[in-house]
Amino acid sequence: MTKINLNRLDPQFKNRVAEQPGGEGLKACFACKACTAACPIQPLDKRYDPRKIIRMVLLGMKDQVLGSDFIWLCSSCYSCQEVCPQNVRFTEVMYAIKNLAAQEACIPPGLMAQRSLLRKHGRLYEVGEFENEKRLKFGLPPIIEHPEDFEKLLPDQSVGV
Amino acid sequence: MEALLYLGCTVPIRNLNYEVSARLTAKALGITFRDLEEFSCCGFPLKSLNVEDTMVTAARNLALAEREDLDICALCNACAGTLNEVAHQIRTRPEIREKINQRLRPIGLHVEGKVRVRNFMRLLWEEIGVEGIRKAVTRPLEGIMLAPHYGCHYLKPSELNVGFDSSETPRTLSEMIGATGAEVVNYPSLLDCCGGGLLGMSEEVANAMAARKLVDVSKTGAHALVLVCPFCNVMYEGQQKKIAKSTGLDLKTPVVYYPQVLGLALGMTSEQLGFKLNRIKPASLLKIVEG
């Protein structure tokens, strides 16, 4: 078992998570483990354990949580959220945790690439002649990109550094 | 009835069979879809990075729909879920509505949350109904066995689906499959998540999640697995070959979209319904239906 160094805990970490949109329910957790039992990821990858993640946040283990790979393993299936007797809304809490990790620049590269595509095209896939020709063959109307709003809508600096 | 058809990013590029069959079947049942060229991404892909960015991206689409004074019908479960959730937040939380409108101001938009967002299945369920579908069927899919897959964002969070379906004992998709005359096949992992949400993070875990359902469904002898979400499709159809190879399992389960089978029951041809884009051919299904 890993030892926890009390001097390296951040007592404000739980408050920062709870202040993020979706993080509000965090402190209501009474550790019943219904979330972990309902989670489809946990049996496949033991590192991803909802109850344990909540305990780590409440203890202030900021670096171990935000810098970990496992926080990105949530599939957003809402199973944990549906069974929680305390209305913690853990799926949303996970987003709050990932948003904080993103602010600290701990972001998987794929996610940043998606954001860049969105700012440039307003969509996840660039639409060109090839795509619209294929659509035409099926009698479907062309997709026209409207990227002009997105540079204003998604500021460059709203994520990490 | 009339609704704005919200396509999202994935369906109009990678799942033309879903789009073309949804448009054809809706039209046949008296639903008029209008396209809005300015619709863009729903915002879901940004949620892990910044929840507020997701909300403004979703709200931009909601504001555009409000200007048209029409409700939204989304084909993708994730798009429908995100737009629905953000519309709910805008309606119920004034502080969030205020913040979002501040960020929409530079692009000349304003949102009140007046627009109702439904996925395609909810639209069919509420506007046409099981009886309505049954009455419209001209070629009942007798002898066809179909396994439903709802997908997580179809059913959850459950507070967004009050009055529609239950996250523990869902029935809407199953009953709408039954209305086509096909037999609905039940199986143990009906409620499983497809794993698509983490394909980009851990292909191994994602594939393991999808594998269980593919095995269950193949054991039932169903002619196809019926989906309504392009992300679930990535896992069950797109990854199926890889899953079969890595697990050594003999998998060859055709994956179809609900409006494709509905269209067959309404008398449309497999060509019209885009079946040639289905990567694992539902050959025995089409043989029974079309001969």
Side-chain angles (χ1 to χ4, degrees):
Chain A
M1 213 173 109
T2 332
K3 279 185 186 162
I4 297 169
N5 183 344
L6 292 178
N7 295 322
R8 295 185 60 186
L9 298 178
D10 177 352
Q12 286 308 314
F13 183 45
K14 59 178 180 292
N15 298 327
R16 283 186 63 203
V17 173
E19 282 160 13
Q20 296 291 312
E24 301 88 352
L26 171 77
K27 294 178 199 171
C29 173
F30 57 23
C32 72
K33 211 180 180 178
C35 49
T36 298
C39 177
I41 315 293
Q42 198 274 338
L44 299 168
D45 191 327
K46 300 279 180 233
R47 293 175 306 156
Y48 186 80
D49 182 332
R51 181 180 72 156
K52 201 167 157 190
I53 294 170
I54 297 180
R55 288 298 109 190
M56 289 173 84
V57 173
L58 292 174
L59 274 170
M61 297 170 73
K62 180 181 149 231
D63 298 342
Q64 292 93 324
V65 172
L66 298 188
S68 72
D69 294 333
F70 61 74
I71 56 169
W72 304 96
L73 288 173
C74 172
S75 74
S76 190
C77 73
Y78 291 101
S79 300
C80 51
Q81 193 154 309
E82 292 287 316
V83 297
C84 178
Q86 287 291 91
N87 203 21
V88 168
R89 302 175 63 82
F90 187 68
T91 312
E92 303 300 341
V93 171
M94 271 319 298
Y95 281 113
I97 291 170
K98 286 181 277 188
N99 283 190
L100 277 179
Q103 283 172 32
E104 311 255 331
C106 307
I107 309 167
L111 282 180
M112 281 313 280
Q114 286 189 344
R115 191 175 193 277
S116 308
L117 278 169
L118 261 178
R119 285 194 81 227
K120 206 167 157 194
H121 303 287
R123 356 182 100 250
L124 276 187
Y125 304 106
E126 188 178 350
V127 185
E129 266 175 51
F130 174 80
E131 286 79 13
N132 278 329
E133 271 169 26
K134 194 173 167 197
R135 290 180 58 76
L136 190 64
K137 274 185 201 154
F138 282 88
L140 298 169
I143 299 290
I144 293 147
E145 286 187 6
H146 281 272
E148 58 278 358
D149 289 346
F150 284 83
E151 291 209 352
K152 288 182 206 158
L153 211 56
L154 303 173
D156 230 354
Q157 61 275 33
S158 69
V159 167
V161 187
Chain B
M1 70 91 52
E2 198 178 2
L4 291 169
L5 181 63
Y6 183 87
L7 296 170
C9 299
T10 308
V11 170
I13 303 301
R14 299 202 167 172
N15 301 87
L16 301 188
N17 49 357
Y18 188 14
E19 182 182 342
V20 83
S21 58
R23 285 182 190 268
L24 281 175
T25 52
K27 194 175 172 193
L29 294 169
I31 296 167
T32 307
F33 279 146
R34 260 185 51 202
D35 289 273
L36 198 58
E37 199 185 281
E38 290 81 8
F39 274 156
S40 292
C41 177
C42 71
F44 182 66
L46 297 168
K47 200 171 173 185
S48 291
L49 297 175
N50 189 313
V51 168
E52 213 183 284
D53 284 352
T54 294
M55 291 201 272
V56 290
T57 305
R60 178 185 166 278
N61 296 304
L62 297 171
L64 290 167
E66 266 174 35
R67 246 181 7 195
E68 305 295 317
D69 202 18
L70 278 173
D71 288 345
I72 289 177
C73 171
L75 296 182
C76 165
N77 279 354
C79 296
T82 303
L83 295 174
N84 195 7
E85 185 196 318
V86 173
H88 178 76
Q89 299 254 21
I90 290 168
R91 275 195 293 272
T92 55
R93 297 180 63 180
E95 76 284 6
I96 284 180
R97 181 166 64 230
E98 175 60 24
K99 212 176 210 179
I100 288 173
N101 277 317
Q102 266 172 27
R103 283 184 65 178
L104 287 178
R105 210 162 291 143
I107 59 167
L109 289 173
H110 181 85
V111 71
E112 289 289 327
K114 282 184 289 196
V115 162
R116 193 168 174 223
V117 182
R118 284 178 284 184
N119 61 34
F120 183 63
M121 300 309 287
R122 187 165 189 173
L123 193 83
L124 289 183
W125 179 261
E126 290 175 351
E127 301 295 334
I128 310 298
V130 175
E131 263 323 296
I133 293 173
R134 199 171 282 140
K135 278 185 197 144
V137 166
T138 55
R139 180 166 59 181
L141 304 182
E142 278 157 21
I144 305 289
M145 298 192 338
L146 297 172
H149 169 73
Y150 289 80
C152 299
H153 295 227
Y154 183 116
L155 302 166
K156 299 176 277 185
S158 49
E159 70 254 31
L160 294 179
N161 290 304
V162 176
F164 175 47
D165 210 343
S166 152
S167 62
E168 287 176 353
T169 51
R171 67 190 180 109
T172 51
L173 174 58
S174 315
E175 289 188 18
M176 285 190 274
I177 290 173
T180 66
E183 183 188 332
V184 183
V185 172
N186 213 341
Y187 59 97
S189 52
L190 172 72
L191 296 177
D192 272 20
C193 169
C194 70
L198 62 148
L199 183 61
M201 305 298 158
S202 170
E203 189 174 353
E204 194 190 336
V205 176
N207 285 353
M209 288 171 77
R212 195 162 81 146
K213 185 178 293 258
L214 288 171
V215 170
D216 279 358
V217 171
S218 70
K219 277 186 200 158
T220 65
H223 291 96
L225 176 65
V226 181
L227 308 183
V228 288
C229 173
F231 282 103
C232 302
N233 182 273
V234 167
M235 292 309 300
Y236 295 125
E237 189 181 55
Q239 292 290 103
Q240 195 178 132
K241 223 179 194 173
K242 270 192 181 174
I243 293 169
K245 204 175 168 195
S246 65
T247 54
L249 295 164
D250 181 27
L251 295 172
K252 229 179 176 182
T253 301
V255 177
V256 300
Y257 283 109
Y258 176 75
Q260 290 189 290
V261 287
L262 174 61
L264 289 174
L266 297 177
M268 296 160 190
T269 67
S270 57
E271 199 189 334
Q272 286 176 300
L273 296 162
F275 272 98
K276 71 174 168 197
L277 295 178
N278 292 56
R279 288 202 254 170
I280 303 157
K281 299 295 167 213
S284 60
L285 186 160
L286 292 178
K287 196 165 178 217
I288 296 172
V289 179
E290 294 189 318

